[in-house]
Amino acid sequence: FGAGGIDSTGLGDPNDPRSQAYFQQRVGDRVLFGYDQHTVSPEGRSILTAQAGWLNANPSYAIIMEGHADEKGTREYNIALGARRAASAQQFLISQGVAPNRIRTISYGKERPVQACSDEACYAQNRRAVTVLSVGAGS
């Protein structure tokens, strides 16, 4: 499985602007957060703005917004933090015109790290919200 928790096979041509592969590779499927933060950064807003544009142009897709945390802290704290991160990204997409019924959120806390590690550069990659596409808006 890819870092976003989905298999990367069968996602279409990354050069096709309507494909899941294009979304992941060209638009970007994740935003990163600062330590113990759930506020979307300027860089995150830029990525989410691009995601919103893509989602608004491709209404047959719904999304699952996954919230993740680094390995620091308790499981319970990180589940809550991941939920706040997913909700922040969700609210930003809604503010950009994406219909709320197209977005579900889930928090994995620290349970699904991009990579297991013990240094800040690695921890920073695990503090994220990942947008996972699914076919069938509003279902």
Side-chain angles (χ1 to χ4, degrees), residues 31-34 38-48 92:
V31 294
L32 301 178
F33 291 86
H38 64 274
T39 303
V40 179
S41 68
E43 180 183 353
R45 286 193 295 274
S46 175
I47 293 165
L48 290 170
F92 188 89

Side-chain angles (χ1 to χ4, degrees), residues 64-70 74-87 104-112 126 128-130:
I64 300 167
M65 184 61 70
E66 298 179 347
H68 299 271
D70 63 27
T74 66
R75 181 179 187 280
E76 294 76 17
Y77 180 83
N78 283 316
I79 288 287
L81 181 57
R84 290 192 301 274
R85 288 174 173 162
R104 283 191 319 122
T105 62
I106 188 167
S107 176
Y108 291 109
K110 61 182 178 178
E111 305 304 316
R112 292 189 176 185
N126 291 331
R128 68 199 190 282
V130 179

